[in-house]
Amino acid sequence: MSSSAIPTARKLVTDIPGPRSLAAQRRRLDAVAGGVGSVLPVFVREAGAGLLHDVDGNCLIDLGSGIAVTSVGNAAPEVAAAVREQVTRFTHTCFMVTPYESYVEVCEELADLTPGTHAKRSALFNSGAEAVENAVKITRHATGRQAVVVFDHAYHGRTNLTMALTAKNMPYKHRFGPFAPEVYRVPLSYPMRDPAGLTGELAAARAIDQIDKQIGADNVAAVLIEPIQGEGGFIVPAPGFLPELARWCTERRVPLIADEVQTGFCRTGAWFACEHEKVVPDLIVTAKGIAGGLPLAAVTGRAELIDAVHVGGLGGTYGGNPVACAAAQATIRVMRDRDLASAARRIEGHCLPRLRELASRFPVIGDVRGRGAMLALELVRPGTVEPDPELTGAVARACHARGVVVLTAGTYGNVLRLLPPLVIPEGVLTEGLDVLAEVFTEVAGPR
Ligand SMILES: *Cc1c(COP(=O)(O)O)cnc(C)c1O
């Protein structure tokens, strides 16, 4: 198929999934571990800015970006060109054996882009979970303490340590224990579910009191938090929560680690979500959006913390792979040149009024929230805050059947989340929202 024949809008020529996808899915079930699921078993052949072309000739609207990864678009031309160029020169040396400049340049960019003007260092890894683990290793080593404080509804990954850091049992932790010790969970600020009048400051005081009484600041190696929770349900803490937590961390000399794996790299309308409340974390963990779909992750932060670790204490065979670094450089260039933080704010401006209008018509929508291109609806039984995960699943499936890829999230499985690529054409986004509105009329009853 020539590229001119590729549709530039949603196009359905078969049921979703179509016959070729169904055939591939049958093969997959006989070859791929059953524990690895798929939201929608539509097999992809090609993808671009907000569109997924499947093996049956359907074209789906992508409101998930492969979980907030392809923010610059899928196979973004600049990223593809950088990868092609790098892959013909060398694919791997191992930075720990013989280094290369692109790794250094990505670390320079990270120092430049992340909040705070202090001296910074970075180390590169392959996945968000691996980077979170390394951030914890660094703070434990630098402080000589062991306790790690995490929050209700947190998601930090699926490795042994990050399972312990993650809150939700199913599907992430169930029967995968024993989990790593010295992980302590404290309450988050969850405005929709907190008692009325619990401000961000008071919610922070509630968490801090628990840290003080149950762990003791002197034992805390790090406080680890997603500035806006991802898998936990796109929970935006009440204003003041993060700054108060950061203030306490500074006062008690406890390193604050921001897990910006999902929120980072322009997703929320700023380079990093911490910036919305002028919070400067000691370490910041990034991955997902950093390299346009290639696997790369980073820990960036205070030089004195990161350089406390002895030579050889950090690393890995593939960490900061040269192809992934080339992709990250191209991704960052696109984000800067095309000001994708502003693009995310435009997406928010485009979507929020429509989502609020839906909420005004459908009382099953208990909350509309998020920042930038990280937006969510929380579905409840009307007039209550009782979660409705069945309806949430039904809405998602109906969107899928109509060729719009949306994701769900949340401790209660009742959050519908939108993570469009930041370069999605406005017409495609509008059509995706039209379909969502249609689906609510069908699934949640006409209003
Ligand atoms: C996805 C995610 C992770 C884990 O990243 P992987 O690359 O899947 O290991 C960690 N933290 C947050 C906030 C995430 O969204």
Side-chain angles (χ1 to χ4, degrees):
M1 187 190 250
S2 76
S3 62
S4 61
I6 293 176
T8 54
R10 183 174 61 124
K11 180 179 154 208
L12 302 183
V13 297
T14 70
D15 285 346
I16 303 294
R20 282 178 178 234
S21 278
L22 289 174
Q25 175 70 0
R26 281 191 295 275
R27 265 174 45 215
R28 170 243 182 99
L29 292 175
D30 284 335
V32 179
V36 181
S38 294
V39 170
L40 173 60
V42 157
F43 284 71
V44 173
R45 197 177 51 79
E46 256 181 90
L51 295 169
L52 299 167
H53 307 275
D54 78 3
V55 290
D56 287 289
N58 300 297
C59 177
L60 287 75
I61 295 178
D62 178 14
L63 300 183
S65 302
I67 318 187
V69 170
T70 51
S71 299
V72 290
N74 214 314
E78 300 86 345
V79 174
V83 164
R84 263 195 300 273
E85 196 276 330
Q86 175 60 43
V87 88
T88 58
R89 286 196 294 119
F90 62 95
T91 50
H92 175 83
T93 62
C94 188
F95 191 76
M96 302 184 307
V97 178
T98 48
Y100 35 90
E101 288 175 304
S102 56
Y103 186 118
V104 179
E105 285 158 12
V106 169
C107 295
E108 288 169 349
E109 291 279 24
L110 284 163
D112 188 42
L113 294 168
T114 52
T117 53
H118 48 275
K120 294 175 197 159
R121 303 285 185 268
S122 288
L124 304 183
F125 303 98
N126 303 291
S127 71
E130 191 190 359
V132 169
E133 288 226 7
N134 277 278
V136 170
K137 279 169 65 173
I138 289 164
T139 55
R140 282 180 170 158
H141 188 103
T143 61
R145 308 173 191 158
Q146 294 184 351
V148 179
V149 174
V150 290
F151 289 81
D152 285 337
H153 313 289
Y155 181 84
H156 297 292
R158 296 172 178 266
T159 59
N160 187 262
L161 176 57
T162 58
M163 272 194 296
L165 302 170
T166 290
K168 193 175 175 179
N169 177 50
M170 276 300 277
Y172 309 122
K173 302 169 72 165
H174 188 61
R175 300 180 64 153
F176 292 137
F179 303 111
E182 287 302 310
V183 173
Y184 299 86
R185 195 169 307 285
V186 300
L188 183 75
S189 161
Y190 192 158
M192 175 188 167
R193 296 184 177 280
D194 280 338
L198 193 77
T199 61
E201 288 80 1
L202 288 172
R206 178 175 68 177
I208 288 165
D209 186 58
Q210 199 163 314
I211 300 170
D212 270 329
K213 301 297 179 295
Q214 297 184 12
I215 315 163
D218 292 349
N219 297 314
V220 179
V223 170
L224 168 63
I225 190 163
E226 299 155 85
I228 298 175
Q229 281 192 336
E231 307 307 295
F234 284 25
I235 304 164
V236 186
F241 179 78
L242 292 171
E244 176 58 17
L245 206 61
R247 189 200 58 73
W248 180 85
C249 284
T250 305
E251 184 186 294
R252 305 306 300 269
R253 303 182 137 272
V254 171
L256 177 66
I257 307 173
D259 178 346
E260 293 237 22
V261 168
Q262 192 154 160
T263 51
F265 285 94
C266 300
R267 175 55 52 187
T268 69
W271 277 94
F272 299 97
C274 280
E275 293 170 41
H276 295 297
E277 289 200 84
K278 300 193 165 48
V279 165
V280 179
D282 299 294
L283 296 182
I284 182 161
V285 182
T286 52
K288 294 196 166 96
I290 191 175
L294 275 88
L296 189 72
V299 177
T300 301
R302 291 192 187 280
E304 65 273 22
L305 280 177
I306 294 184
D307 278 349
V309 178
H310 50 278
V311 175
L314 303 173
T317 305
Y318 293 116
N321 167 273
V323 182
C325 283
Q329 288 180 289
T331 298
I332 292 167
R333 219 176 302 123
V334 170
M335 286 182 170
R336 217 186 241 123
D337 293 351
R338 296 173 62 180
D339 190 6
L340 293 193
S342 296
R345 294 195 295 274
R346 276 198 301 281
I347 289 171
E348 177 183 330
H350 190 78
C351 293
L352 265 191
R354 291 208 55 187
L355 298 177
R356 292 202 174 113
E357 189 273 332
L358 274 185
S360 73
R361 284 193 291 135
F362 297 100
V364 293
I365 302 176
D367 197 17
V368 178
R369 59 176 180 253
R371 276 189 199 276
M374 184 171 182
L375 300 169
L377 303 175
E378 179 159 355
L379 304 194
V380 294
R381 308 212 188 270
T384 73
V385 291
E386 200 189 318
D388 195 341
E390 294 77 22
L391 180 67
T392 311
V395 169
R397 282 190 301 277
C399 287
H400 299 163
R402 287 170 164 78
V404 177
V405 178
V406 295
L407 306 173
T408 60
T411 295
Y412 313 106
N414 67 326
V415 176
L416 203 67
R417 54 171 163 169
L418 305 180
L419 289 163
L422 307 181
V423 295
I424 192 168
E426 194 172 293
V428 176
L429 182 59
T430 299
E431 193 182 357
L433 293 170
D434 290 344
V435 169
L436 185 65
E438 250 172 63
V439 163
F440 268 100
T441 304
E442 182 192 276
V443 176
R447 294 291 191 295

